[in-house]
């Protein structure tokens, strides 16, 4: 137990030390900006991708590399000059990257969504100078189109979650971005609204499989979190659903991590049934499942203004 507390102290110290090293804001000539993914590169720097919604309705993808003090080492944009991505509706048809992965020799792949006459899933590879090596597009024509999250495949290539043929899907791309296989996912339409389901996260697991995270609306009300375990071939091993008993309450999952005996999923809990002010009805939420999807425990993190 002493070792555990010592680990927490060291972790907190490291986080505080890192946060105190830099606090830099970079502004560009854009209407709306956001970062969407960040990784720690092999050279010790940090890579993050995002998007800029420019005044006038066009969007660009951004790729940035910063050192440990937040100084920009590289910054590239990819947008109307490289492809068509103009749409007046910035809320539903925004062009954005979702994931960046590092490859050998300082190359990177970036995946996300773009819009032309259709909404498309896009993956592209760039070299160390930011030049595009190749681009691959897959038509989705759906709000949730795009390779929303990717990870390195255990046997080479990339595993993704997103949308294909207007349905939630997961699949595999080879190292050149060619689609090798995909599976559409369909939930029980007698209990849930299939059109509301969307995948949001995927991780590689220690047994050479993958854990997929998705969110769905229930027919009777409320919103729940799906976790789906697949093997390296894409075959489903088990599916688990965590949804509140109260129809007015909702759970939304955003990320997950593997532990020694299962997985921890984080997100938020939205409640209209708790006797608390409306402005405080959303809580940070996490729960743990075992290696076959059974819920072991769940917790709401108290806010600074209210203790559950």
């Amino acid at each position: 137990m002493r070792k555990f507390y010592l680990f927490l102290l060291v972790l907190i110290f490291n986080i505080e030390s890192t946060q105190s090293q830099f606090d830099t804001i970079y502004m560009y000539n854009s209407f709306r900006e956001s970062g969407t993914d960040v990784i720690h590169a092999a050279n010790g720097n940090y890579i993050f991708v995002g998007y800029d919604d420019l005044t006038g309705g066009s969007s660009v993808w951004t790729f940035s590399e910063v050192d440990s003090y937040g100084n920009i080492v590289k910054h590239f944009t990819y947008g109307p000059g490289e492809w068509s991505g103009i749409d007046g509706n910035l809320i539903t048809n925004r062009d954005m990257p979702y994931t960046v992965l590092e490859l050998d020799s300082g190359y990177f792949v970036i995946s996300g969504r773009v819009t032309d006459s259709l909404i498309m899933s896009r993956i592209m590879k760039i070299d160390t100078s930011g030049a595009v090596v190749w681009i691959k597009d897959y038509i989705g024509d759906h709000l949730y189109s795009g390779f929303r999250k990717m990870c390195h495949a255990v046997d080479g290539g990339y595993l993704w979650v997103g949308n294909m043929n207007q349905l939630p899907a997961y699949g595999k791309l080879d190292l050149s971005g060619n689609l090798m296989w995909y599976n559409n996912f369909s939930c029980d339409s007698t209990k849930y609204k299939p059109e509301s389901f969307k995948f949001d996260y995927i991780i590689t697991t220690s047994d050479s499989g993958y854990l997929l995270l998705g969110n769905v609306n229930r027919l009777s009300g409320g919103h729940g979190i799906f976790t789906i375990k697949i093997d390296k071939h894409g075959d489903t091993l088990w599916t688990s659903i965590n949804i509140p008993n109260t129809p007015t309450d909702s759970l939304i999952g955003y990320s997950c991590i593997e532990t020694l005996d299962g997985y921890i999923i984080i997100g938020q809990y939205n409640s209209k049934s708790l006797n608390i002010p409306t402005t405080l009805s959303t809580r940070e939420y996490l729960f743990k499942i075992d290696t076959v999807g059974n819920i072991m425990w769940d917790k709401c993190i108290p806010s600074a203004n209210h203790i559950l």
Side-chain angles (χ1 to χ4, degrees):
M1 185 62 71
R2 289 182 178 178
K3 290 182 179 179
F4 175 73
Y5 286 124
L6 179 60
F7 167 77
L8 287 179
L9 288 173
V10 172
L11 179 62
I12 293 170
F13 174 78
N14 286 339
I15 292 174
E16 291 179 345
S17 298
T18 301
Q19 290 176 337
S20 65
Q21 286 180 0
F22 64 88
D23 186 2
T24 309
I25 297 176
Y26 300 100
M27 298 296 292
Y28 305 99
N29 182 27
S30 61
F31 170 70
R32 184 186 290 109
E33 305 170 7
S34 180
T36 54
D37 195 24
V38 61
I39 60 173
H40 192 189
N43 65 2
N45 289 339
Y46 298 89
I47 305 296
F48 63 92
V49 293
Y51 62 89
D52 293 352
D53 285 338
L54 305 178
T55 302
S58 61
S59 299
V60 296
W61 288 14
T62 63
F63 173 98
S64 301
E65 179 179 344
V66 300
D67 62 20
S68 59
Y69 292 94
N71 300 309
I72 292 182
V73 178
K74 297 177 182 178
H75 179 74
F76 310 119
T77 61
Y78 307 91
E82 289 76 28
W83 65 66
S84 237
I86 299 176
D87 195 297
N89 191 335
L90 296 177
I91 300 303
T92 60
N93 286 335
R94 181 183 297 125
D95 299 344
M96 63 176 69
Y98 293 118
T99 305
V100 58
L101 297 176
E102 185 173 16
L103 307 177
D104 296 334
S105 305
Y107 283 44
F108 295 88
V109 290
I110 309 169
S111 67
R113 57 175 278 178
V114 295
T115 54
D116 195 347
S117 58
L118 296 172
I119 303 173
M120 296 181 292
S121 301
R122 167 161 290 179
I123 179 172
M124 70 176 185
K125 181 178 180 179
I126 62 173
D127 63 19
T128 55
S129 68
V132 176
V133 178
W134 49 254
I135 290 177
K136 299 291 173 65
D137 289 331
Y138 298 93
I139 295 175
D141 197 21
H142 189 278
L143 172 61
Y144 299 132
S145 290
F147 300 127
R148 294 184 63 83
K149 193 66 180 177
M150 287 200 317
C151 65
H152 288 288
V154 296
D155 51 356
Y158 322 103
L159 257 288
W160 57 268
V161 292
N163 188 279
M164 190 70 69
N165 292 334
Q166 302 186 38
L167 292 171
Y170 55 92
K172 184 178 181 181
L173 305 170
D174 66 18
L175 288 172
S176 298
N178 299 306
L179 184 64
M180 300 180 68
W181 56 261
Y182 74 91
N183 292 322
N184 286 120
F185 177 79
S186 181
C187 52
D188 186 349
S189 60
T190 65
K191 297 180 180 179
Y192 309 105
K193 299 178 181 179
E195 69 278 7
S196 72
F197 186 94
K198 66 184 182 74
F199 282 114
D200 281 302
Y201 211 74
I202 181 173
I203 59 171
T204 306
T205 55
S206 58
D207 59 357
S208 298
Y210 306 90
L211 189 74
L212 287 55
L213 180 65
N215 295 283
V216 70
N217 290 334
R218 182 171 51 188
L219 287 174
S220 60
H223 196 278
I225 302 171
F226 264 98
T227 46
I228 303 161
K229 186 68 170 62
I230 64 173
D231 62 20
K232 67 178 182 180
H233 304 294
D235 296 323
T236 301
L237 301 178
W238 52 259
T239 299
S240 175
I241 177 72
N242 184 1
I243 196 163
N245 293 324
T246 305
T248 56
D249 292 357
S250 296
L251 296 176
I252 302 175
Y254 293 120
S255 185
C256 55
I257 190 172
E258 186 175 16
T259 68
L260 293 176
D261 57 351
Y263 310 92
I264 291 178
I265 294 93
I266 63 167
Q268 70 180 37
Y269 180 79
N270 300 303
S271 175
K272 294 183 180 180
S273 63
L274 297 178
N275 186 25
I276 55 179
T278 302
T279 55
L280 301 177
S281 62
T282 299
R283 290 282 183 270
E284 297 173 62
Y285 177 77
L286 70 160
F287 67 99
K288 184 175 183 179
I289 57 176
D290 62 21
T291 55
V292 291
N294 298 309
I295 298 174
M296 301 172 69
W297 51 258
D298 66 339
K299 304 285 183 181
C300 279
I301 306 301
S303 72
N305 300 309
H306 184 84
I307 304 298
L308 288 178

